């Protein structure tokens, strides 16, 4: 049986959260002398002398609309990376609990675990980059609090089988975190729609990829209101700054434009994959549901260095298990993709 209380760290269960000035008074007033801000203003144009809304109410309402979620099922972080760190701090007792990751996958799950002194157990993906359910099950014990699942996965680019994720959700009493940073580039249905079904589900999404706003640092967690309440307790009071809240609200008015970009990137991804497989030395271009391609290429390390001499930076994944001789290549502009293809074409 899933029991959130039993999953939560004791110190967090009994934590009295910081109560900010904006928490203690949130009504209408003319004169705000409660937060030690600079009442004269700032060198900048707008009202940045005031602390931002610690609960990001307007922004969450706009996100809830776009994502068909409820506002109390949304937590916003300073990038998904903050959400990842917070999940450790809320649920994993340092030196005692453990989590499971499925490499090759996003590096922050392990780095964040190490920072929090939480043991990482590894159930590597199978040769087809799908979950090894048997291995996963053998690793989980009473102290396993989180299982990290990245779909579409970074750096392999594929989506993980929905039925496999379902199996994990149904058979694991800890939290299953499905990181959907690249979901907009795939045809897969988001797991956000399944929150009512699974009290142990946490879905991560981000404004850094499809929304084109990596510079704003805005990540989203979707989960039951009970899980969100615990994350809210632990977060720094003003973790989403005023500028980010305003600009993200503006961006959310432009869903159409974002969808146009997504379609264009997907078309360019598919076109680039077709061109790359024909280049001598390229052994395989993996199917991608993301905005990058994993490319197996002869002497990948050397190719990586060669591309650098041409001013082109890709991600060298050649010493990652299951990715030997692989480069991860982000889809660029039409012109950038052509520069890449021309450089690779003149290799041999
Ligand atoms: C890029 C990426 C993120 C995004 O992190 P932010 O902190 O939101 O920029 C999260 N997960 C995966 C798998 C990623 O590749």
């Amino acid at each position: 049986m899933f029991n959130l209380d039993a999953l939560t760290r004791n110190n967090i269960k009994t934590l009295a959260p910081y109560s900010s000035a904006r928490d203690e008074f949130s009504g209408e007033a003319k004169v705000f002398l409660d937060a030690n801000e600079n009442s004269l203003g700032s060198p900048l144009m707008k009202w940045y002398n005031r602390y931002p809304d610690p609960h990001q109410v307007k922004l969450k309402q706009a996100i809830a609309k776009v994502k068909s979620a409820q506002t109390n099922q949304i937590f916003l972080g300073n990038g998904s990376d903050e959400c990842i760190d917070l999940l450790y701090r809320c649920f994993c007792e340092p030196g005692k609990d453990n989590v499971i990751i499925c490499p090759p996958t996003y590096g922050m799950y392990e780095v964040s675990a190490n920072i929090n002194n939480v043991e990482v157990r590894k159930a590597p993906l199978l040769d087809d980059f799908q979950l090894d359910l048997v291995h996963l099950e053998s690793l989980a014990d009473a102290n396993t609090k989180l299982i990290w699942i990245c779909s579409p996965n970074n750096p392999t680019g594929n989506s993980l089988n929905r039925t496999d994720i379902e199996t994990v959700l149904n058979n694991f009493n800890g939290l299953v975190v499905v990181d959907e940073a690249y979901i907009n580039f795939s045809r897969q249905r988001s797991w956000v729609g399944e929150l009512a079904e699974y009290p142990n589900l946490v879905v991560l999404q981000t404004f850094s990829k499809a929304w084109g706003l990596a510079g704003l640092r805005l990540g989203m967690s979707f989960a039951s209101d009970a899980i969100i309440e615990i994350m809210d307790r632990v977060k720094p009071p003003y973790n989403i700054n005023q500028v980010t809240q305003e600009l993200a609200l503006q961006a959310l008015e432009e869903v159409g434009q974002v969808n146009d970009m997504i379609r264009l990137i997907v078309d360019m991804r598919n076109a680039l994959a077709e061109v790359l497989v024909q280049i001598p030395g390229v052994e395989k271009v993996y199917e991608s549901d993301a905005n990058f391609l994993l490319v197996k290429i002869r002497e990948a390390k050397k190719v990586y260095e060669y591309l650098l001499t041409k001013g082109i930076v890709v991600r060298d994944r050649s010493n990652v298990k299951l990715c030997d001789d692989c480069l991860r290549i982000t889809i660029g502009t039409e012109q950038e993709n052509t520069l890449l293809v021309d450089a690779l074409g003149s290799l041999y």
Side-chain angles (χ1 to χ4, degrees):
M1 263 299 288
F2 178 72
N3 180 346
L4 186 61
D5 212 46
L7 276 184
T8 310
R9 288 173 66 195
N10 277 325
N11 61 316
I12 303 304
K13 264 189 272 190
T14 57
L15 178 75
Y18 176 73
S19 181
S20 70
R22 287 300 104 88
D23 284 316
E24 305 208 335
F25 180 84
S26 58
E28 293 287 316
K30 275 195 301 213
V31 183
F32 284 95
L33 303 177
D34 58 344
N36 295 348
E37 295 146 335
N38 184 336
S39 301
L40 302 187
S42 79
L44 302 179
M45 297 293 290
K46 293 182 88 183
W47 44 82
Y48 297 126
N49 57 326
R50 299 297 179 186
Y51 279 104
D53 174 7
H55 309 297
Q56 309 104 24
V57 173
K58 275 192 195 153
L59 182 50
K60 282 182 183 172
Q61 283 167 348
I63 291 172
K65 244 191 203 156
V66 171
K67 300 287 176 184
S68 305
Q70 291 157 24
T71 51
N72 62 1
Q73 295 175 317
I74 302 173
F75 174 88
L76 300 179
N78 190 331
S80 308
D81 289 347
E82 184 180 35
C83 301
I84 293 169
D85 177 66
L86 272 176
L87 287 166
Y88 283 107
R89 292 201 283 148
C90 291
F91 300 107
C92 298
E93 199 60 46
K96 177 174 166 234
D97 290 333
N98 67 75
V99 305
I100 302 176
I101 67 171
C102 304
T105 193
Y106 186 47
M108 279 310 287
Y109 312 142
E110 186 166 8
V111 172
S112 221
N114 292 339
I115 291 168
N116 287 287
N117 190 24
V118 171
E119 182 198 346
V120 175
R121 300 183 175 181
K122 295 180 183 175
L125 297 175
L126 300 166
D127 286 340
D128 60 357
F129 295 149
Q130 292 297 330
L131 293 175
D132 184 345
L133 293 177
V134 175
H135 194 179
L136 251 177
E137 186 174 15
S138 75
L139 292 182
D141 65 19
N143 289 323
T144 306
K145 296 298 188 71
L146 310 171
I147 295 180
W148 295 95
I149 292 175
C150 188
S151 181
N153 187 41
N154 176 5
T156 57
N158 62 299
S159 297
L160 300 189
N161 294 331
R162 205 169 174 86
T163 49
D164 287 351
I165 298 177
E166 233 159 45
T167 302
V168 178
L169 280 163
N170 282 322
N171 291 286
F172 178 58
N173 284 330
L175 298 183
V176 180
V177 188
V178 181
D179 187 343
E180 295 185 336
Y182 300 98
I183 188 75
N184 308 267
F185 303 105
S186 85
R187 292 181 184 198
Q188 302 289 317
R189 208 159 73 243
S190 165
W191 283 91
V192 170
E194 315 299 320
L195 286 178
E197 201 75 29
Y198 299 104
N200 58 338
L201 172 63
V202 179
V203 181
L204 302 184
Q205 291 190 9
T206 179
F207 279 78
S208 297
K209 308 287 157 63
W211 287 88
L213 293 170
L216 284 195
R217 310 308 303 132
L218 185 59
M220 298 167 270
S221 308
F222 301 90
S224 71
D225 54 344
I227 294 173
I228 298 302
E229 193 273 323
I230 296 168
M231 296 177 76
D232 274 335
R233 237 188 272 176
V234 178
K235 81 179 183 79
Y238 303 111
N239 62 326
I240 309 297
N241 70 67
Q242 180 69 26
V243 183
T244 295
Q245 291 192 41
E246 287 172 15
L247 293 181
L249 263 175
Q250 279 183 39
L252 283 158
E253 304 264 310
E254 308 294 342
V255 180
Q257 197 185 324
V258 173
N259 283 335
D260 288 346
M261 284 199 289
I262 292 167
R263 267 190 288 275
L264 187 56
I265 290 169
V266 167
D267 286 347
M268 289 194 293
R269 175 192 77 202
N270 297 341
L272 183 61
E274 282 183 25
V275 175
L276 287 177
V277 282
Q278 291 165 32
I279 291 177
V282 172
E283 284 163 7
K284 181 163 181 145
V285 179
Y286 290 88
E287 284 285 324
S288 173
D289 268 349
N291 65 340
F292 58 83
L293 290 168
L294 188 71
V295 180
K296 197 177 187 71
I297 188 163
R298 222 183 303 140
E299 300 193 276
K301 179 105 199 128
K302 277 192 190 155
V303 174
Y304 171 78
E305 302 287 349
Y306 161 81
L307 287 174
L308 281 184
T309 68
K310 299 272 177 183
I312 301 170
V313 199
V314 299
R315 193 93 152 115
D316 178 14
R317 300 281 83 182
S318 60
N319 47 23
V320 171
K321 218 176 121 196
L322 293 183
C323 297
D324 32 293
D325 266 336
C326 284
L327 302 177
R328 193 195 68 192
I329 302 174
T330 307
I331 308 307
T333 62
E334 203 72 70
Q335 192 190 13
E336 289 168 337
N337 299 339
T338 302
L339 285 172
L340 172 86
V341 168
D342 289 350
L344 288 175
S346 59
L347 240 180
Y348 296 101

